[in-house]
Structure formats: C-alpha cells, structure tokens
Amino acid sequence: MIIKNINIKNFRSHSNTDISFKQGITTIIGENGSGKSSIFEAMNYALFAPRRIKLSDAIKRGTDFFSISFEFEINGKRYKVIRGRGKKNINYLYENDKPYSENNDEVNNKIKEILNMDDEVFSNAIYIKQGDISSLIQITPAERKKLIGKLLGIERYEQVWDKLKTPLKNMELDLKKIEGELIQKEDINTNINNLKENMEKNSKILKELQCKFNHAVELRDRKEKLLKKWEKKEIENNNLQNNLKELKYGVETSENNIKILISDLGAINTHNNILNSNYLNYSKYKEIENKLKKLANELLQYKKYYDKFNELNGEMKGLEKTIKEIDKKLIDKNPKNKSNSEIEQEINDINKELNKLDDILNKLKDLELLNKELTKIENSKKELNKNKENYLKYLELSKKSKELNNKLMELSGIKEKENDLKQQIKSTEYKIKQLKQDLKDFNNIDIEINKEKEIKTKYEDIVNKIDLLKEKIAQNNAEINQTKDAIEKLKGTTEDKCPVCQSNIDGLKKQELLKQYNQLIEEGEKRLNKLKIKYNQYLDEKKDIKDRLDKINNLKNKYGQLKEKNNNLIEEENKLIKLNNDLNVIGGNLTEYDKIVRDIKTIDNKIKELEQYYKKYEYCENFLKDSNEQELVDNKNKLLDTVGNNTNKSILNTKKELNNRSEELNELLNLIRNKEQNMEKLNNVNKEIDNLKDKVATYSQLEIEKNNNEKELIRYKDGYNQYNDSYAVLKNYADKYAVSIEEIRNKVNELLKKENNNLNNLNNEIQNIKLSIEKLQYNIEEFENIKKDYNKINNKVTEINGEIIGLDTTIKNENKLLSEFENKLKQLKKLESKKEQLNNAIHNLANIREAVFSKNGFQQYLRQKYIPIIQRHTNEVFNEFELPYSHIEIKNDYDITVDDNPVKILSGGEQIAVALAIRIGIAKAVCSDLNCIILDEPTAFLDENRRHNLLRVFRNIKSLSQIFVISHHSELEQVANNTITVEKNMGNSIIRSS
C-alpha cells in the first residue's frame, strides 16, 4: 500500500487539514499535543472505522460532524475511502474514481479484502508505537514470545483457549445440576400415589359437609324473616324518640327566646328615656365642636409664619454672637488692620520663595546620586584588580574540563555498554527474585498432581461400590413391596387359598403367614436402613474424593503457569551468568574512563569554587565599560555651583518657617471673609422678621379664642357622652331586629306574641308522639334475643361454608400439585435426554479446546510457520543497514543472536538497528505486500548517541517505498525526503509541508 493523500475536517484538533504524501522518508515534526498522531489515527479510522474510538472524543469541540477522505494505491489500483460521523454517517469507497461500496459493513469488508489485513494488524504491525522498537530487545525471551504472538495475532488463540474454560465449566455445572434434579424422580412417583389417595378421601368429606350446610341455611332463612320484622319496629321507635327529643328542644328554645325578648324590651325603654333627657346638652356640644374645628383650620394656616418667626429670632441671636467672637480674634491677629489684597499679596510672595527652595532640594538629591555612582566606579576598579588572578585560573580550568569531556565522549560507548549490562543484571536479579517467590509452592503442587492417578482409582472404586449398593437397595425395596402386596392380597381374600401359591389354607395358617410376612418386611427394612447408611457414607466419601480431584484440576492450571515460570527462572539464571561474564570483559577497558571521570569531577569542583570570583570580575569589567566617569565628574561640578553653601537641613528649616507664616495669613483671610458673610446674613434675617410681625399677632389672637371654646366644651361633655352611649345601645338593638330605632319597641312586642303561640303548638305535638310510642309495643330485650338466635345459626352456616371452601381449595391445590408432579416427570424425561447431549458437548468442546487453541495445538503450528518467514524478512532488511554483521537468528526459545553472538553485547545503536529490522520483518510477515510503515516517536527513551545511529539506519532502508516518522525531535529532518511540520494555534492543528 502506498499512501497518497488525506483530508481531515473537524477530527480531534484538525479543523481542515489536507496533506499529500510522497515516496521516501516523511517526517512529521511537532510538539507533544500538536496533533501529529491524530493524522494517522484519522487514516486508521478512514480504513476500519474502529469502535474503540469514541465519537465524543473524535469530533472537534464546538462542531457536530467530522469527515475524513483518504487515498491510497495498491497493485496498480487507486482507492479513495470517505468516512463521516456526527449529524449524519458517511461511508464511501471508490476504485479508480468509480463507486465500489456505500455502507459501513460493506466498506469495512472490502478494505480488509484489498489490504489483506484488519484493524488489529494495521494498528500493531504497520503502525509502530512509541517505545515498541527498543522494548523488543530489552525484554526477556518469554516476554518477546508473548509480544510477537500478539503482533502475529496468535495471542487471540490463547485468549479463546482461556475464554473456553468458562463455557466448559458452566456446562459441567449444568450437568451436575441435571443429575441432581434426576435424583427426585422416585420421590415424585411416591408423591403422586399419596395425592390420589388423599383426594378420594377429601371428596367424600365434602359431600357430607354440603348436606349439613343446606339444612343450616333453611333454618337461618326462617330466623332472618323474624329479625327483619323487629328491625322495622326498631327503626319506627327510633324515629318517634328522635322527633320527641327535637320537640322538647324546641320548647326549651322557645322559652329562652321569650325571656330574651322581655329583657330586650326593658332595656330599650330605659335608653329611650336617657336619649330624650340629654338632647339639649348633645346639641350644644356639637355646636362648640364645629367652632373649634374652624379655629383649628385657621391656626394651621398661621402656624408656619409663627414657627418661621421663632426660627429667625434664634438665627439672629446666633449670628450676632458669631460676629462678636470674630471681632475679638481679628483684634489679636490683625492689629494693623490689613486689607484682604495686602494679605493675599504676602501669601503669593511666600509661595514663590518655597518653589525656589524645592528646586535647590532636587539638585541636592541629584548630587547625592552622582557621588554614589562615582564611589561605585572606584570600588569596581579595586574589585577588578583583586579578582583578576582567580578569573584567569577559572578560564584555564574550564578549557581543561572541556578537553577531558571530549575525551570522555570517545569512551562513552564502552561506559554505555557497562551501564546497559548493569541495568540488565539488576532487572534480571529482580525477575529471578520474583520468580522464586512465585515458585515457592511449585514442589508441593507437583507432589499433589502426581497423586491424581491413585485418587482417580479410589474414585472409580467408590463409584462401583455406590452402583452395587443402588442395585441392592432397589432389590431390597422390590422384595419388601412384593411382601406387602402379598399381605394385602392375603387380608383381602375370602377364599381358603393362598393368593401367592394357590395352596389350601385355613384361618390359623392365614394368621401364621401374615406374621411371617410382617417379620420378613421388618427384617427387610432393617437391611434397607443399613444399606442406605452405607450408601450415604459412600456418597460423602465420593464427594470428598471428587473435591480433591477438582482441586488437582485447578492446581493443573496453576502448575502449567508455574512450570513455565520455572523454565523462565532457568533462562533468567543462565542469562544472569552470561551478563556477569560480559560485564567482566568490559570492566578491564574502563580504567582510563574512570580516571577521566575523577579528574573532571576534581576540576569541576575547583571551577565551582572559582565561579564567584569569575562572575565578580566579569560584572565589574562590564560595569566599568558601561560607565562614563568624566561625564559624572562634570555634572557634579555644575550642581555644586548651583547649590552653593545650602544644605538639606537649612532649606527644610526655612521652608517650615515660611509654611507656618502662610498658614497664619490664610487663617486671617478666612476670618475676615467669614465676618463679611455673617454680617450679610444678619441683615437679611432682620428684614424677614419685620415682614412676619402682623401674621404672628393674628396667630396669638386665634390661640386665645380656641382656649376659651375648649373650656366651654367641657361643661356639656357628660350629657353628650350619655346621649351617645344610649344611642349606640339602641342602634345595636335596631341592627339586631333589622328595623329603625323608632320601630324597635313595636317589633319586639310583635315577636313576643308569635313566640308564645309557637310554644303552645309544640306542647300539643309532644302529647301526640307519646301516644304513638305506646301503641308500637317495642321491647329491646326481646329484640336482642331474636338477634342472638339469628347470629348463632348464621355463624354455623359460615363455619360449615368455611370448611367446604377450605376442603374445596385443598382438593384444587392437590389437583394442581398432581398436575405439577406429572409435568415435572415429563421435564425429567427431557432432562435425561439433555444430560446425554450435554455429556457429548462437553467431550467435543474439551477436545476442540486442546487440539485447536492450546499452546501445543494450532498456536505451536503458527509459531513454527511464521518464525522462519519473520527471520527471512528481518535479514533482508538488516542487510540494507550496512553494519558489520550478516545474520540475525530468532531461536526456538525466542532469544536473539547476531552472527551467533548475544544481541546484548552489541552497542546501543546496533541493538536498535536489530530491533527495527525484526519489527519490519514482523510487519512484512503479516502483510506480504507491505510498502509503507509508520513509526510513532521511534527515538523516545533513546539517548543522543542511539538517536544518531537510528537516523543512519533509516537512510539505508531500501525495501520500503514509504517510511513515516512521527517525532518532536527536529534532528529527524536530516534523514527526511519530505518534512511536515504540525503546530497548534488556538486549539487548531496547522500543517506546513517542505
């Protein structure tokens, strides 16, 4: 496959990205998170639309749809696949610009068919992820075997092998469940026979109960008619008694109403008399009250003038007092009686003098700064001379350190190998420790598994014993049942013949036979009990042995894993010996390296000690270069001419005196202006007081008139209050009887007459009801006895009916239970058939699991098939790298050798070349038409030296038409035919090609 073009819209951080790809090495350079890997995720989605990618993560934020258009070429044909997701789904595939497929499943199947690979192969073989190259060499052979199995898809067989364990176990559990259910067959048959006997007995009892029920119902009906007659009498009696109560209550109410009416009439007459006697006082009081209201309105009109007059008088006195106080102050502060303009001129003169003094102060500050700068220049000259010797020593040692570091770089390859070996030794020792920890139970499990054959023999023996006991129990049951049948026949026969042998017998012989038969049954049941006890013991023993066998089966799985770990332990221990030997070989070459490291350390410590002097010297030197001493001296002389003999202290004292005088003058000026303002206010207040004098006199006259009327009002107040109180009482009565005050007396007399007539009528009705109650002849004791008789017979009917319903329900339940037992028997017959099918299925599935999916099955075949193919492709690629080696071999145990030497003795760069060759070899084995490969951050976790070696290897690959390298290292541009730069701006990935 040759990748031609991709167009990405709203996928991850790509808003609108369009890239055309050329043959050769293409590097995609960009910072982490810039969107480099998203380009190849988009390719993967366009090809296979994998479900593992969540649409919510893939669609760019703020949008509701993404689309990807991807073009590639294979076997001379050009294909274009378009995918879109979000508000609508798009799936198109074109072959040479002609529509080829137009739905998701069809496009997926066609892509797999064209590329001869699926999403998993593409993601693992074509697309090589960060760290995958170096890890292929660094891991153990066992881990390498697992990794290559994953890349080849072999691990899926192991996953299936593992997953099949669950259905097998479930099927075995189902089988045990069926066997457990089939045990109940014999009990169900016994239950069916017992149910049929009970149902027959219950039917007879039901018929007897129904006869009793019919007789009781007839008697209850007669009692019910008598009860209903007396219930009518009770209702009629209750109605008459209720009417009598209501009438008596009416009489009581009417008598109370008459009393109230008589009381109200007396009160009405009393208050009418009070009203008439106080009418004149009431009228006079109202007349004076109206006068006072009129006066109050007039006073209210003049009150504002009166209040204003008093307010102005107060203000006048305050102003006169303030003016006197100001005059006293002015005599003290302005004895010469200066004018406002003279004072203001003096203030201006003081301000000018203060400005001049401020200017001199600023120049004094500038002079101080210049002196500091000149002192600093002098100190820097002294510091320069003081640190010169240490500065020169620092430069000399730095040069020597650089020379030693360059020499150290030349020897770093050997040191790197030593570090690699030490790291591997440490890792291997840790793995050995972990494996030994995991294997502590290995020997005990091995012993337990070796006992399996012996335990299986015991299990088969106990199963045979159980089968024999079952036969004996069945035979014994048959003999007992046969004897019981003989007893029944003997008891039931009226003839003088034995029902078994048909010989002649008399009554005595019959009794003797019955005794013998019962004795036989008793002995048979004793034997049966002993057999059942023995049977249960064997079942318990069988269960214990079965549990032990199950435990061994479980241990087998663990044993297989531990055995593999034991093999790994042996491998790791051999590997550790080899690594230590390699380390000893390298150790002799590192003496010079260690000496240089020590020398560098000593020099670096001295440089560190001298660094402070070096920095001081450099700082002073740079400071003196940037400073102009002569210019600073000239500026200082100019400032001295301007300042003269003035000092900060003398200027500040003069300023203080001038500021104090300025404050005094401002205070005097404010006093003069304040007096002028208060004099103007006083004149205005006197004018307002003169204008208000007439209106204040009118207010005083009205106040006197008001006081006189209030005194007269008090004389008529008692008569006025009595009139109002009586009128209020009469008004309440008028409201009560809904008439005017004048009509109250007549209304109450009329109501009193009506109430007396009503009382007479109620008393007559009471006499009539008493006569009706006597005629009815209702007796409550007799009625209660009739009720008791009825309830007694009714309870009897209910009781019998309950028994009938209960028995009927029992018969129905027995019928239902019988039906359930018969259905259960049918189900058990089906289960017997299912048991046989399940046994066959377990046997077949276990055979398929072992033959096809186990490590020794089809997995082993695939590994044996693919390893030579991988090795051939690996060496074809490896030979392109122009390294001083000819052959890479992947051993049966997945260890790797190069020209029969362990790969670990190669330099770091050579190891990476071997890993890359194997990785490409695997990809070519999986995909025979491989023309391109994608490497995501291949230089991750590699030091600078290994990165450079990997770049050289990339240049030498000739067997691939396209190599895509994703990285944040810009140095990879050196090997690229084409470079694509990815940057992120405001959350959007931006592409630049070169």
Side-chain angles (χ1 to χ4, degrees):
M1 178 175 73
I2 301 296
I3 297 170
K4 290 292 185 181
N5 179 268
I6 190 165
N7 182 274
I8 309 167
K9 289 182 180 174
N10 298 331
F11 183 83
R12 301 231 188 254
S13 58
H14 291 268
S15 294
N16 190 356
T17 296
D18 189 86
I19 309 170
S20 293
F21 300 100
K22 299 172 185 176
Q23 294 196 15
I25 300 173
T26 300
T27 57
I28 294 91
I29 305 294
E31 295 296 325
N32 291 333
S34 60
K36 308 183 299 295
S37 298
S38 298
I39 296 167
F40 293 96
E41 282 183 41
M43 286 184 191
N44 180 247
Y45 197 91
L47 290 170
F48 304 105
R51 291 182 181 176
R52 68 174 182 275
I53 296 178
K54 289 184 182 177
L55 292 183
S56 57
D57 295 338
I59 297 174
K60 193 177 189 310
R61 281 188 185 178
T63 66
D64 57 2
F65 178 79
F66 76 75
S67 68
I68 304 163
S69 173
F70 179 55
E71 294 180 41
F72 62 93
E73 194 176 281
I74 191 165
N75 296 329
K77 293 181 181 178
R78 191 179 182 93
Y79 294 93
K80 182 177 184 179
V81 59
I82 300 172
R83 302 273 192 177
R85 294 291 184 272
K87 59 187 177 184
K88 58 180 180 177
N89 287 353
I90 297 171
N91 301 279
Y92 295 116
L93 177 63
Y94 298 90
E95 182 183 271
N96 294 330
D97 297 326
K98 292 178 183 177
Y100 197 42
S101 301
E102 292 188 0
N103 71 63
N104 189 58
D105 291 340
E106 195 177 323
V107 170
N108 286 348
N109 291 332
K110 289 290 183 186
I111 290 288
K112 289 176 188 175
E113 187 182 313
I114 293 162
L115 298 179
N116 196 23
M117 71 174 88
D118 59 11
D119 172 38
E120 192 169 353
V121 172
F122 179 87
S123 298
N124 289 321
I126 308 303
Y127 188 83
I128 300 172
K129 300 174 189 68
Q130 179 174 315
D132 277 4
I133 296 173
S134 58
S135 68
L136 198 60
I137 292 297
Q138 292 165 0
I139 57 179
T140 64
E143 290 169 332
R144 193 176 297 115
K145 179 181 179 182
K146 191 174 180 181
L147 176 61
I148 291 173
K150 181 182 177 182
L151 295 172
L152 295 173
I154 293 171
E155 71 162 6
R156 284 180 285 184
Y157 287 89
E158 193 160 345
Q159 288 167 1
V160 172
W161 185 86
D162 195 49
K163 285 177 183 176
L164 282 175
K165 190 192 295 180
T166 303
L168 262 173
K169 193 171 183 180
N170 291 339
M171 287 164 76
E172 286 168 357
L173 288 171
D174 290 344
L175 185 62
K176 283 182 182 177
K177 192 177 175 183
I178 289 168
E179 287 171 347
E181 288 189 40
L182 288 171
I183 291 169
Q184 59 187 317
K185 187 176 178 182
E186 188 179 335
D187 292 336
I188 290 170
N189 281 319
T190 305
N191 288 334
I192 287 171
N193 293 330
N194 292 337
L195 269 173
K196 285 179 178 176
E197 286 177 17
N198 286 337
M199 286 166 69
E200 192 176 343
K201 287 177 187 174
N202 287 333
S203 296
K204 287 178 184 177
I205 295 166
L206 185 63
K207 284 178 183 176
E208 291 171 5
L209 284 170
Q210 283 170 339
C211 289
K212 283 184 184 179
F213 178 75
N214 292 335
H215 177 72
V217 166
E218 188 181 338
L219 183 60
R220 184 192 65 183
D221 291 345
R222 288 200 301 272
K223 296 281 184 184
E224 190 177 8
K225 284 178 184 176
L226 182 63
L227 179 67
K228 284 181 179 176
K229 182 180 175 183
W230 273 86
E231 282 175 345
K232 285 180 183 177
K233 271 189 181 185
E234 184 189 36
I235 292 165
E236 193 175 343
N237 178 70
N238 289 340
N239 289 337
L240 287 167
Q241 293 290 349
N242 289 334
N243 289 338
L244 187 63
K245 280 180 186 176
E246 286 176 10
L247 287 167
K248 285 179 179 179
Y249 177 75
V251 167
E252 189 180 335
T253 303
S254 186
E255 287 171 348
N256 286 332
N257 288 341
I258 289 166
K259 286 177 184 177
I260 290 165
L261 286 165
I262 292 166
S263 173
D264 286 354
L265 191 62
I268 289 163
N269 289 330
T270 300
H271 286 288
N272 262 325
N273 293 334
I274 292 168
L275 214 65
N276 293 329
S277 63
N278 286 291
Y279 181 74
L280 288 174
N281 288 333
Y282 172 79
S283 301
K284 190 67 177 173
Y285 185 91
K286 290 295 286 182
E287 181 186 341
I288 294 166
E289 193 175 48
N290 290 332
K291 275 185 185 179
L292 283 168
K293 282 178 184 177
K294 188 177 178 185
L295 284 168
N297 289 332
E298 289 178 5
L299 278 166
L300 190 64
Q301 290 175 11
Y302 284 96
K303 179 78 166 58
K304 57 186 176 183
Y305 304 117
Y306 179 77
D307 291 342
K308 183 67 176 174
F309 181 83
N310 288 333
E311 183 188 334
L312 289 168
N313 270 322
E315 190 177 348
M316 179 186 73
K317 288 173 183 176
L319 288 167
E320 286 172 349
K321 185 181 178 183
T322 302
I323 291 165
K324 283 178 183 177
E325 288 171 356
I326 292 169
D327 284 339
K328 283 180 185 179
K329 288 178 183 178
L330 284 172
I331 291 165
D332 294 334
K333 293 183 181 292
N334 191 16
K336 294 181 181 180
N337 202 17
K338 287 183 181 179
S339 66
N340 286 3
S341 57
E342 287 173 332
I343 295 166
E344 285 170 354
Q345 182 59 46
E346 191 175 347
I347 290 168
N348 287 334
D349 293 341
I350 288 168
N351 286 335
K352 285 177 185 178
E353 189 62 30
L354 283 168
N355 288 334
K356 285 179 185 178
L357 291 169
D358 284 337
D359 186 49
I360 293 168
L361 269 176
N362 288 332
K363 283 184 168 53
L364 282 168
K365 285 178 184 176
D366 291 342
L367 186 63
E368 189 179 346
L369 289 171
L370 280 171
N371 284 328
K372 282 182 181 178
E373 196 70 18
L374 287 166
T375 304
K376 194 174 178 182
I377 288 168
E378 194 59 38
N379 290 337
S380 293
K381 286 177 182 178
K382 290 176 184 176
E383 200 68 30
L384 205 64
N385 293 326
K386 182 180 172 183
N387 291 299
K388 187 171 183 180
E389 186 181 347
N390 287 327
Y391 170 77
L392 294 171
K393 280 183 185 177
Y394 179 91
L395 292 176
E396 184 185 344
L397 287 170
S398 295
K399 184 180 177 184
K400 193 171 182 182
S401 176
K402 190 174 180 182
E403 289 169 358
L404 287 170
N405 274 305
N406 290 335
K407 197 168 183 183
L408 190 66
M409 284 296 290
E410 294 171 11
L411 295 169
S412 62
I414 298 170
K415 187 63 179 176
E416 187 184 328
K417 283 184 182 179
E418 184 197 37
N419 290 336
D420 283 349
L421 285 168
K422 283 181 178 177
Q423 188 63 36
Q424 288 177 51
I425 286 167
K426 189 177 178 182
S427 173
T428 307
E429 284 172 344
Y430 177 76
K431 284 176 185 175
I432 288 169
K433 185 181 175 183
Q434 290 296 111
L435 287 166
K436 283 181 177 177
Q437 181 67 27
D438 293 344
L439 287 164
K440 62 182 179 182
D441 296 330
F442 179 66
N443 291 329
N444 294 334
I445 292 169
D446 190 36
I447 292 164
E448 193 67 22
I449 287 169
N450 289 332
K451 291 179 182 177
E452 183 183 21
K453 191 173 180 182
E454 180 190 338
I455 296 167
K456 275 186 177 176
T457 305
K458 283 184 182 178
Y459 183 78
E460 288 166 4
D461 182 49
I462 204 75
V463 167
N464 291 332
K465 286 179 180 178
I466 288 167
D467 290 341
L468 284 170
L469 273 176
K470 277 184 183 175
E471 289 174 12
K472 284 182 181 180
I473 290 166
Q475 187 180 347
N476 208 67
N477 272 325
E479 288 172 1
I480 291 168
N481 290 332
Q482 193 176 353
T483 307
K484 284 180 179 177
D485 290 342
I487 290 170
E488 291 297 319
K489 286 177 183 178
L490 194 61
K491 284 180 179 177
T493 185
T494 54
E495 298 177 4
D496 294 333
K497 284 187 178 182
C498 175
V500 179
C501 62
Q502 297 299 312
S503 61
N504 292 325
I505 57 169
D506 56 13
L508 191 63
K509 180 68 175 173
K510 190 175 182 180
Q511 290 300 319
E512 189 181 337
L513 278 171
L514 283 170
K515 187 177 178 182
Q516 287 175 2
Y517 285 157
N518 283 322
Q519 194 173 349
L520 285 169
I521 288 169
E522 189 178 341
E523 289 170 358
E525 284 177 344
K526 283 179 182 177
R527 278 197 310 276
L528 186 63
N529 285 333
K530 285 179 182 178
L531 288 168
K532 282 182 177 177
I533 290 165
K534 192 70 175 171
Y535 177 77
N536 288 330
Q537 286 173 350
Y538 282 159
L539 283 177
D540 290 340
E541 195 175 340
K542 179 189 171 185
K543 185 178 178 299
D544 291 341
I545 295 168
K546 183 71 171 67
D547 289 345
R548 199 167 170 192
L549 284 170
D550 290 342
K551 187 179 175 184
I552 288 169
N553 281 330
N554 291 333
L555 287 173
K556 277 181 181 178
N557 294 331
K558 190 173 180 183
Y559 180 75
Q561 295 167 3
L562 290 175
K563 194 167 184 179
E564 190 172 341
K565 284 187 177 181
N566 194 49
N567 293 335
N568 289 342
L569 178 63
I570 294 164
E571 284 178 13
E572 292 298 327
E573 284 174 340
N574 292 333
K575 178 183 170 184
L576 184 63
I577 292 164
K578 195 172 181 208
L579 287 169
N580 280 315
N581 290 336
D582 292 344
L583 185 64
N584 291 333
V585 171
I586 289 171
N589 299 323
L590 288 171
T591 308
E592 187 183 357
Y593 181 91
D594 292 338
K595 184 180 180 301
I596 291 169
V597 169
R598 288 195 299 273
D599 290 346
I600 288 170
K601 190 175 179 181
T602 304
I603 290 168
D604 285 347
N605 287 335
K606 287 179 182 177
I607 287 171
K608 197 171 181 182
E609 289 171 9
L610 293 169
E611 189 174 11
Q612 58 177 317
Y613 306 113
Y614 170 80
K615 285 180 179 177
K616 280 182 184 178
Y617 186 90
E618 271 203 333
Y619 172 78
C620 292
E621 190 176 41
N622 292 330
F623 175 75
L624 289 170
K625 283 178 186 175
D626 295 337
S627 301
N628 190 335
E629 188 177 4
Q630 188 56 49
E631 186 181 343
L632 292 171
V633 171
D634 293 342
N635 289 336
K636 178 183 175 181
N637 292 330
K638 286 177 185 176
L639 287 170
L640 284 170
D641 292 339
T642 307
V643 170
N645 295 324
N646 286 309
T647 62
N648 277 340
K649 188 176 180 181
S650 65
I651 291 168
L652 288 172
N653 288 334
T654 306
K655 273 186 76 175
K656 187 176 179 183
E657 291 169 6
L658 290 170
N659 281 323
N660 290 337
R661 179 58 184 157
S662 177
E663 285 174 13
E664 288 172 6
L665 291 169
N666 277 312
E667 188 180 345
L668 179 60
L669 193 63
N670 287 334
L671 278 171
I672 293 167
R673 287 172 181 166
N674 199 6
K675 182 184 175 183
E676 289 171 354
Q677 289 169 1
N678 283 315
M679 287 295 291
E680 187 179 350
K681 280 182 186 178
L682 184 62
N683 290 332
N684 293 332
V685 167
N686 285 325
K687 285 177 186 176
E688 282 188 65
I689 287 170
D690 291 340
N691 292 333
L692 290 170
K693 281 180 181 177
D694 293 341
K695 288 174 180 169
V696 169
T698 304
Y699 177 83
S700 299
Q701 185 62 39
L702 287 168
E703 190 70 39
I704 291 164
E705 192 177 344
K706 177 192 164 197
N707 291 334
N708 292 334
N709 276 293
E710 283 174 346
K711 288 174 185 175
E712 191 174 357
L713 190 70
I714 291 166
R715 284 171 54 202
Y716 301 104
K717 190 171 184 180
D718 288 341
Y720 171 81
N721 287 339
Q722 286 178 20
Y723 182 92
N724 273 343
D725 291 344
S726 293
Y727 185 86
V729 171
L730 289 169
K731 183 73 173 67
N732 285 337
Y733 281 119
D735 292 342
K736 180 178 176 181
Y737 294 107
V739 294
S740 65
I741 290 172
E742 291 78 11
E743 297 171 334
I744 296 171
R745 190 179 292 130
N746 293 334
K747 181 69 177 177
V748 172
N749 282 324
E750 185 186 333
L751 289 170
L752 192 60
K753 187 178 178 181
K754 281 182 182 178
E755 203 61 55
N756 281 320
N757 291 335
N758 183 45
L759 182 62
N760 292 331
N761 292 334
L762 287 170
N763 283 322
N764 291 334
E765 282 184 43
I766 285 168
Q767 292 303 319
N768 291 334
I769 286 170
K770 284 180 178 177
L771 288 171
S772 297
I773 289 169
E774 286 175 12
K775 284 179 186 177
L776 189 62
Q777 293 182 339
Y778 171 77
N779 187 317
I780 191 165
E781 289 177 4
E782 190 177 349
F783 179 56
E784 288 298 324
N785 289 331
I786 290 166
K787 274 203 287 188
K788 283 177 184 176
D789 289 346
Y790 172 78
N791 288 335
K792 188 177 179 181
I793 190 65
N794 190 50
N795 289 338
K796 183 70 175 174
V797 169
T798 305
E799 184 185 336
I800 296 167
N801 190 46
E803 288 178 25
I804 290 167
I805 292 166
L807 199 57
D808 189 51
T809 303
T810 301
I811 292 167
K812 284 178 183 176
N813 288 336
E814 286 172 340
N815 266 318
K816 186 180 177 183
L817 193 58
L818 182 64
S819 177
E820 286 173 2
F821 281 136
E822 286 170 346
N823 288 333
K824 188 69 179 175
L825 276 177
K826 289 176 185 176
Q827 289 172 8
L828 290 174
K829 284 179 182 176
K830 289 179 183 177
L831 280 176
E832 284 172 342
S833 172
K834 189 176 178 183
K835 177 186 171 183
E836 188 178 349
Q837 292 171 3
L838 203 54
N839 269 321
N840 293 333
I842 289 168
H843 177 74
N844 293 335
L845 187 60
N847 286 342
I848 290 166
R849 182 172 178 250
E850 287 303 316
V852 178
F853 297 106
S854 70
K855 290 181 181 177
N856 298 323
F858 197 62
Q859 285 190 51
Q860 190 174 25
Y861 164 75
L862 286 173
R863 291 183 192 281
Q864 289 169 352
K865 176 188 171 184
Y866 270 106
I867 290 301
I869 299 169
I870 292 169
Q871 200 162 284
R872 176 166 54 81
H873 286 303
T874 296
N875 282 300
E876 285 172 3
V877 174
F878 188 60
N879 289 330
E880 293 177 352
F881 294 169
E882 297 179 3
L883 293 171
Y885 304 100
S886 60
H887 184 70
I888 297 171
E889 184 179 359
I890 302 171
K891 302 244 179 220
N892 290 334
D893 63 354
Y894 283 80
D895 199 4
I896 296 170
T897 61
V898 181
D899 291 351
D900 296 326
N901 293 313
V903 74
K904 299 295 183 184
I905 69 164
L906 272 61
S907 69
E910 289 168 344
Q911 287 181 26
I912 291 298
V914 171
L916 181 61
I918 294 170
R919 201 65 180 73
I920 296 171
I922 292 167
K924 280 179 169 285
V926 172
C927 180
S928 56
D929 295 327
L930 184 72
N931 285 311
C932 70
I933 197 161
I934 301 160
L935 304 165
D936 193 350
E937 296 286 0
T939 58
F941 316 121
L942 301 182
D943 56 32
E944 189 178 354
N945 190 36
R946 290 189 181 190
R947 286 205 301 274
H948 286 307
N949 288 330
L950 189 60
L951 297 182
R952 190 178 69 252
V953 167
F954 284 156
R955 289 195 193 97
N956 292 331
I957 297 174
K958 303 291 188 294
S959 54
L960 295 173
S961 302
Q962 284 181 312
I963 299 174
F964 297 94
V965 183
I966 305 168
S967 180
H968 63 277
H969 287 298
S970 57
E971 63 191 332
L972 284 166
E973 293 181 37
Q974 299 168 22
V975 298
N977 304 108
N978 319 291
T979 299
I980 295 167
T981 305
V982 185
E983 295 174 349
K984 208 167 197 181
N985 185 15
M986 303 292 287
N988 291 319
S989 294
I990 311 297
I991 304 297
R992 286 188 294 103
S993 299
S994 59

